[in-house]
Amino acid sequence: MFGVPAQLGYPVLFALVFAESAGVPAPGETALLTAGVLAGAGHLSLALVIGVAIVAAVTGDTIGYWIGRRGGRAVLLHRGPLAAHRAHALTHGERFFGRHGAKAVFLGRFVPGVRVVVAVLAGASAMPWPRFALFNVAGAFVWAATVASLASLVGPAVAAGVWIAALAAAVVAAVATTLRIRRSPGGEGGRHVPGLG
């Protein structure tokens, strides 16, 4: 969002956080980190950044939850773009969800990869809606407030460096995940991905 007018910063932040929360692999946390740094530099309002991120996260997770209730695992295992990535995220997400249960809705917000699938898993496992909603709102609030506030403390002097570091970390994570998928049994590279038909 550097070089982008402030009035466009909030819609971009909302779109990326919403998409990631709804189950689309998108740099939602990187967007929040960047917005927090921009808020610290005086280009955006920290309160609005936190508010937009909370609304986007809760709304996206809610849609993900209802997708999970209606389609379950089949939604994430459907053929199409990033099918192998979605299958890999589902495997890790199910393991995380199985260990932590309802807490996964709160904790999953802080775990890259799991954050993309946890709402769908909650719906697919038929977690009661009031319980999901409570942990969802609490997790979104703590995540948005913590990430944006810490990022805002960095200040404008190192804003570009923080953004580049976050982007580089996202790229490295994506490459590492892709390599792990290709090397694991059932990964890409001519091998069958379970559940993909």
Side-chain angles (χ1 to χ4, degrees):
M1 282 183 289
F2 284 96
V4 176
Q7 62 267 28
L8 296 182
Y10 302 114
V12 170
L13 172 64
F14 182 92
L16 291 175
V17 172
F18 172 84
E20 183 181 50
S21 300
V24 177
E29 187 162 80
T30 300
L32 178 57
L33 176 64
T34 304
V37 172
L38 289 173
H43 300 297
L44 297 174
S45 162
L46 180 60
L48 278 177
V49 165
I50 293 172
V52 167
I54 291 172
V55 172
V58 170
T59 305
D61 277 342
T62 299
I63 289 177
Y65 173 88
W66 289 111
I67 288 174
R69 285 297 289 259
R70 292 181 178 277
R73 299 175 81 257
V75 174
L76 290 172
L77 292 176
H78 185 71
R79 290 182 185 275
L82 301 172
H85 177 78
R86 286 185 276 112
H88 183 73
L90 177 63
T91 299
H92 286 279
E94 284 183 325
R95 193 175 304 137
F96 187 86
F97 199 85
R99 281 200 304 265
H100 298 287
K103 290 184 294 183
V105 176
F106 180 92
L107 297 172
R109 172 63 53 191
F110 298 87
V111 182
V114 174
R115 182 166 52 243
V116 180
V117 298
V118 71
V120 176
L121 291 175
S125 66
M127 176 186 287
W129 165 250
R131 187 170 178 77
F132 169 80
L134 174 64
F135 281 89
N136 182 30
V137 171
F141 180 85
V142 174
W143 172 74
T146 301
V147 172
S149 296
L150 289 177
S152 72
L153 295 176
V154 172
V158 292
V162 170
W163 184 82
I164 291 170
L167 182 60
V171 170
V172 169
V175 170
T177 298
T178 300
L179 292 175
R180 194 179 313 145
I181 290 171
R182 290 181 182 277
R183 292 176 181 169
S184 65
E188 291 182 328
R191 288 176 290 189
H192 178 68
V193 177
L196 293 180

